[in-house]
Structure formats: C-alpha cells, structure tokens
Amino acid sequence: MSISEQSVGIVSAQRADFKLAIELTSGATLPSYSLTFETYGELNAQRSNAVLICHALSGHHHVAGRYLPEDKSAGWWDNMVGPGKPIDTRRFFVVGVNNLGGCHGSTGPSSINPETGKPWGAAFPLMTVPDWVKSQARLADRLGIERWAAVIGGSLGGMQALQWSIDFPDRVAHALVIASAPKLSAQNIAFNDVARQAILTDPEYHDGHFYAHGAVPRRGLRLARMLGHITYLSDDGMGAKFGRMLRSGEFKYGFDVEFEIESYLRYQGDKFSDQFDANTYLLMTKALDYFDPARPFGDDLTAALSRAQAGFLVASFTSDWRFSPLRSRELVKALVAADKAVSYGEIESRHGHDAFLMLDPPYVNLMRSYLERVAEEVAA
Amino acid sequence: MSTALREDLKLIAEWVPAGASVLDLGCGDGTLLAWLQHSKSVRGYGVEIDIDKVVRCVGRGVNAIQGDLESGLCDFSNQRFDMVVLSQTIQAVRHTEAILLEMLRVGREAIVTFPNFGFWQNRWQIFRGRMPVSETIPFQWYDTPNIHWCMLGDFEALCAKNGIEVRERVVMNQDRRVDFLPNLRGSLAFYRVGLRQ
C-alpha cells in the first residue's frame, strides 16, 4: 500500500473559542482563549471512538495529512495516524490539538492580550500539564466527547495522557504513555535550563517582548534546539547517520561547518528558529519541569494513580537517554502497585528519544496490537 | 476463547484460585493468563523478555510487562500477588535460588514446573553416553538455554534449605499423572510451594 493511500489526505485546522475563564495552576487566570485543533475520521453514533493525540515540546495540532497537496511534509505523526495505520482513522475519530501557550494558532504568548492590545509576550502565564488537560477537557465537551477511547502521547504528550487518567478518570478508557516519565530528573531539568538560558540571554529576546521590537531571538532558539536535538538522538544513532563525515572530505582548520553533524544541527536549529516562538519554547520546557503528578499526593505516585480507571500502555526505547526506560519502569511499577491494567514494552531502537516518532517494527506492532483491542472494546 | 489448554497449563490453572491475582513469569504469548482471566476471573500480569510475545499478549488483552527475570522482581512489592507462576523456566535461569525467593517475596504462593532430569529416558541417554534430548528437553547440549538441571529431590532440597514448604506436587509423563516412582517415570514436575509459616 502506498503512502498516499494510507494518508488521511487533505485536512484543515479548526478553532474553538472559549469565553469561559480558565484558572491555572500558577494562580493566574486566562479570561478567554482559543484552541486550534484538527480531526480525522468519523465520530461514531455512540461517540465512543474518539482518540486524543497530545503533542510534545515542539508539536502541534497538525498530526496527520496535508493542508495542500503540494505541502512538502505531512503532519508530525502521519506515519502513525491514518487509514490502516496503528491509530487507524477508519476506526477512530482522532483529535489533535495545539496546547495553550503554543505558537500554532492556540492562544499563547504571541497572541494579543485583550487587556493591552499587544502580544502577551513573557506576561503570558506559565502553563502546567494539568492546565492543558483541563483545557483539552473543555474541547472534548465542545466536541461532544464524554470519554476518550484513548489519550495518546509521546514525551511531554505522554505526560498529558498520564495526567488525563488521573484528573478525569472516568473520561479516559486507555492512556498510551510513550517515551515519557512520571517526572523529570535533575539532569533533564538541567538540559531544559541550558536551552532556556540560550533564549533568555539572547539580546534579541528583550525580556520576552521581542514582538514589539520587531526582533526574534533566533540565536537563542537555534542553540536551544541544537542542544535539544542532541539529547533526542542516541550516540549510536548519530554515529551511524553522520559518523565523522566531512562535508568537503578534508579538514579546513577553521570554525565553519566541517563535519556533517554540524551542518545537520545548524540546519535543524535554523529551521526551528524560523518557525517557533521563543516564549512558547520557554513555557513548554517549564511545563515539562513542573510535571509531577505525585506531588499533590505526598510524592506517592501509586496514590496519585489509584484513582485512574484507564488501561495503560507504557513504551520506552532502549537508546533513549533523555527519557530512559528506567523512568518508564518507575511508572509501570506504580501502576502495578495501584492494581491498574498495564502493559509495557521496552523497544530495541537506536533512534534515541526520537524513536517515538519513528517506525521501529516492534513499536508499530505494539501500538497496533494495543489499539486493535481498544477499537474492539469501543466497538469502533 | 478456546477452552483447549495444554495439559501442563491445565494443571497449573487448577491450582490457581478463582479471582486470584497472578504473576506469570516468562508468560510467553499469554495463553495461560488469557485462559485464567476468562475462566477464573483472575487479575494478572505476565513478565516476558521477548517483545514479539509481549505484542501477542497485548493483542489478547493480557497485561504483559517486558522485562528480564534475571534482574529480579524489584518492580513488584511484597506479597502483591496470590500466586506467582514460573512454568518450565527455572532450569534456564542463572540466579535460580534468588528467583525462587523473589517469587515468594512478591507472592503468597508459587507454582514452579520444570522438566525432570531424573526421567528414565534422560538417564538412559546419559547411560548410552549422550546428553538427553527429548520432548521436554528439545535442545542439543551446545545450544540449550537450560543451565540448571535438577531432579525432584534436588528441587525439594533447595526448598527445604530456604524454609519453603511443598504444598502440592504432581509429576506427569505425556499428560498422565505419575504416582509410582515419579522421579524415574515422570518427565515434568509441578510444585505448589509457599514459605513455611
């Protein structure tokens, strides 16, 4: 079957406006907000086949398909979402949403603050994973979805799936938590802070109000992305792809791009800094750092999960050192202790953290197998 | 769900009380757990090292956790399960004694089954100068995963040494129970064990 046959095809984004204020974990309140989202497939008559895809740090609502036939790339999880794919749009009604604080259409730091008539900038309140889940629940209400057949996410997205199962136990039938963690380690927070410092110390950042200066802290964003990118790959995978390959075949004895890996990272950094909002990047990394569902339960993850009613699929990847298998096993351990239905796969992969976006066959098989059960269960 | 369960699994299933919480170590494709869930309302988890088998478990609605028994059962808390099963695997693990103790740490009772090395056909092959190869030991000596062979008496001595009591024992040969000279006539041994109170 060719790629095009398996695609959801041409899609378009939608927007939901919420006039109802949302109180945030930080104590701040957003008086109103919008969420940009996309849907694929059909909601069945019982409204039982809806699947929510939660995005990671740099993701968004455009999960699958293309806006125009000539679009160079499809949605960020097009290899997993589509007709006949593991998240099968012939059976499921799939919803992708851009999180609050994002920079792809939902209300965020680059949106206009109604009180000032100017972009929010750094004044935009910081978000937490529970805040996102709350806002996504309102979107679910709007779409008439009482209970998700599954909430699925990788990395920061997996944290949202986990939070959903705790905050709205009766609204999640299954949570798929991939390449994620029940909370970040010190090392992981440290990487995030270096990325933030790159942005915060860029002279073009202007304390977060760079929009007013017609500036973009491109250098900071670029560095942040380059650093992040290194941590998303494995030494092994990077070695296999780039090794010590030189662009010109010989040393130039200077600081220009010489090794292929330098070229690759710079390209990724440049591409990212052209598209992504610096304030959103800061906000997303803070949401990662703050995530700790056990905290309100006396640091007892088992107690936090005891209210969950969902079935869980947890998956990790052997070469992922940013969200290592050990962190997923912590989660599995707590789920077993809380007597929850859980399966766990530790996928052999050299793709590092990025593996959750790749198609290592055991990973695809695991997702397909689990989601086929889910589809049968909800009569999709 | 098919009701035809392999004879050896059927015997294990008999020993698992209805409604029990079960941990099946080396659960394979989840056949036993799927049957127990369906027929005895058991709640359980399987531990399996092979991802393809984990995928098959997931496909039949069995909770499977990918992991290596050799690294212990630290993901499970004390006395978490009513029954822990280790079916035809104990002869292939490196830390045999540790795993046996771990099983009775996380579970109130354990079921252990293994091919009986003392079975007369094995003895006969050794007598004729070769390592045994049979239905229950289908490997050549050079590619066998089995590294810790034992007979009934050996296993029982290991239990006694660790304060483990044998609560039930069945020895089988070709789907038939063997009561007379079991260590000679039985090819597969089944034990239900627990810590001596």
Side-chain angles (χ1 to χ4, degrees), chain B residues 29-70:
Chain B
D29 62 7
T31 306
L32 176 66
L33 277 174
W35 191 90
L36 286 171
Q37 284 174 13
H38 184 256
S39 309
K40 292 188 116 173
S41 308
V42 150
R43 282 183 64 83
Y45 303 88
V47 176
E48 174 56 52
I49 197 167
D50 179 351
I51 185 66
D52 294 330
K53 290 178 182 162
V54 170
V55 168
R56 290 219 285 283
C57 287
V58 163
R60 65 203 318 172
V62 165
N63 294 321
I65 293 165
Q66 195 182 3
D68 184 359
L69 303 180
E70 300 285 8

Side-chain angles (χ1 to χ4, degrees), chain A residues 336 339-340 343-344 346 369, chain B residues 43 45 55 59 63-64 66 80:
Chain A
V336 171
D339 204 21
K340 303 301 164 190
S343 284
Y344 171 60
E346 201 166 298
S369 189
Chain B
R43 282 183 64 83
Y45 303 88
V55 168
N63 294 321
Q66 195 182 3
R80 168 71 180 73

Side-chain angles (χ1 to χ4, degrees), chain B residues 8-29:
Chain B
D8 61 317
L9 296 182
K10 209 183 275 177
L11 182 64
I12 296 172
E14 269 176 36
W15 282 352
V16 176
S21 66
V22 176
L23 180 67
D24 186 1
L25 301 174
C27 65
D29 62 7

Side-chain angles (χ1 to χ4, degrees), chain A residues 50-64:
Chain A
V51 167
L52 176 67
I53 309 286
C54 301
H55 68 74
L57 179 55
S58 59
H60 41 67
H61 56 283
H62 186 37
V63 176

Side-chain angles (χ1 to χ4, degrees), chain B residues 148-166:
Chain B
H148 282 141
W149 281 120
C150 70
M151 310 184 206
L152 308 189
D154 298 316
F155 180 73
E156 287 164 25
L158 178 65
C159 288
K161 177 184 168 235
N162 286 291
I164 295 166
E165 65 181 7
V166 173

Side-chain angles (χ1 to χ4, degrees), chain A residues 241-252:
Chain A
K241 194 165 172 187
F242 303 103
R244 291 178 51 83
M245 265 188 301
L246 292 161
R247 295 195 77 192
S248 67
E250 54 189 32
F251 292 162
K252 297 281 193 197

